[in-house]
Amino acid sequence: NIRDLQGGQTVVAAALTAQGRVTGLFQVTSIGPDRFLLRSTGGTAEELRSSISQFIVADRVEIADLSSSHRLLHTTRPPGPELSVGENGWVVPTARFGASGWDIVVSIAESAGIAAEMGVEEIDSNLCAVLRFDAALPSVPEDVPSDLLFTELPLEHAVSFTKGCYVGQEAVERSTAIGRVPRTVRRTVFQGSPAAQPGASLSLMDGDTERPAGKVLSAVYDAASDRTLCYAHLKNDEVVLRGPLRLAGVEGFILDEG
């Protein structure tokens, strides 16, 4: 519930459809009375704007797209009080990759100087995906697609179960009351670099029989550890979730507990 945020506080928040599917995943920080800074690592600016706009009903709300005028820097080194980001820049606490850190949102013109001052280096999309995976912070739709039910994802912290009505609440509450959705998303790890394209089949050895277990949603290869890291859409079955799983003949394990 972002209305409860105090100045400088940050939460992860999901935007849902009425059917309970995720259209956006944001880190939201209160930056002043009725002012919030939203950051997302997934989706286009137009897709994200659309996912937010659906919630504007009676309130007067202005949305400013900063994607073309600002850059997002992230550091785990505490920024000193001497760091200046100007009137249209912000330094906000954000556990972006699992560890405590700070997002620095600053104009493109000032970003190079601040990056050099903070010792921030640009990383490629592959390393960013590995860091997101290890921190269990998926990006929508890059890591997990937007057509999945929210309750299939390990993101319970991204909605409120105590606030008033919100888009998708009925679907989330109904699915939660059932207690077990038919399928669930889990992080899975395979040694080496098997053919792990989105949609690739995952299986499970049940005695001498190989049975279907699910499919790969996304995959990234981590060369530093020689691992292939996959978000998998699995049958929500105790036998399947115990693993081990097989992908193109390579055995792997499920990282998340059910």
Side-chain angles (χ1 to χ4, degrees), residues 93-115:
T94 308
R96 179 162 297 280
F97 297 123
S100 296
W102 291 264
D103 278 353
I104 303 172
V105 180
V106 65
S107 69
I108 291 176
E110 297 179 278
S111 61
I114 292 177

Side-chain angles (χ1 to χ4, degrees), residues 42-186:
T44 65
E46 185 58 36
E47 288 170 338
L48 296 174
R49 188 182 187 92
S50 176
S51 71
I52 299 170
S53 297
Q54 66 173 320
F55 301 108
I56 303 175
V57 181
D59 296 327
R60 293 184 60 186
V61 177
E62 294 182 9
I63 300 175
D65 177 11
L66 303 179
S67 59
S68 61
S69 60
H70 286 63
R71 291 194 71 187
L72 171 64
L73 311 176
H74 182 76
T75 178
T76 54
R77 170 187 161 193
E82 69 280 1
L83 180 66
S84 175
V85 295
E87 292 184 1
N88 295 313
W90 300 271
V91 179
V92 294
T94 308
R96 179 162 297 280
F97 297 123
S100 296
W102 291 264
D103 278 353
I104 303 172
V105 180
V106 65
S107 69
I108 291 176
E110 297 179 278
S111 61
I114 292 177
E117 181 180 344
M118 294 298 300
V120 174
E121 298 180 359
E122 187 169 355
I123 62 174
D124 61 31
S125 59
N126 193 84
L127 178 54
C128 190
V130 169
L131 293 172
R132 287 198 308 267
F133 183 93
D134 285 339
L137 295 171
S139 176
V140 179
E142 281 72 12
D143 299 327
V144 293
S146 57
D147 60 350
L148 298 183
L149 293 173
F150 173 80
T151 46
E152 293 180 305
L153 303 171
L155 295 173
E156 295 84 358
H157 59 287
V159 298
S160 171
F161 290 91
T162 58
K163 65 176 286 186
C165 295
Y166 57 87
V167 177
Q169 181 187 31
E170 183 178 350
V172 170
E173 295 285 355
R174 183 171 61 249
S175 183
T176 302
I178 292 173
R180 195 178 188 89
V181 289
R183 293 188 176 273
T184 184
V185 174
R186 292 287 187 270

